[in-house]
Amino acid sequence: MKNEEEIEKLAEQLEKDLLLMYGSPLITGEDLQKAMGFRSVDALRQAIVRKTIPVKVFNLDNRRGKYALVKDIARWLANESIKQN
């Protein structure tokens, strides 16, 4: 239970930080690559193609590229951080 509370609190803070940094609840391209910690956009593309990216990515009608929600990225980062401790 304590871990879940820690994860939730950290995820909320990370979401706020990511929203400030990227200015949108959606991110794509190089911003997505940086937020997820991939070395390059090509590495991000490979993870998407191989379906190994740990957050949901999706298309938007009439837009290029793949998108992810800042909320999902924040939750994943928080889980990874707490899991490592």
Side-chain angles (χ1 to χ4, degrees):
M1 196 63 143
K2 178 132 170 63
N3 274 355
E4 192 59 36
E5 291 171 14
E6 286 181 71
I7 290 169
E8 197 58 43
K9 187 175 179 182
L10 182 55
E12 286 176 16
Q13 184 58 53
L14 287 167
E15 184 178 357
K16 287 178 189 174
D17 293 346
L18 290 168
L19 281 169
L20 276 174
M21 193 177 308
Y22 298 114
S24 171
L26 291 173
I27 58 174
T28 189
E30 194 173 308
D31 291 340
L32 181 56
Q33 170 240 316
K34 289 177 184 175
M36 296 293 300
F38 285 96
R39 290 182 182 256
S40 67
V41 174
D42 286 333
L44 170 64
R45 282 191 200 112
Q46 281 298 315
I48 292 169
V49 167
R50 293 178 178 155
K51 299 184 188 311
T52 59
I53 191 162
V55 297
K56 179 182 174 189
V57 292
F58 52 91
N59 296 313
L60 291 176
D61 290 343
N62 303 313
R63 301 275 196 276
R64 292 176 126 179
K66 298 286 188 180
Y67 293 80
L69 294 173
V70 164
K71 184 178 209 70
D72 292 342
I73 295 167
R75 181 75 179 179
W76 173 72
L77 288 170
N79 271 314
E80 289 299 303
S81 175
I82 301 298
K83 181 170 79 174
Q84 300 300 318
N85 288 333

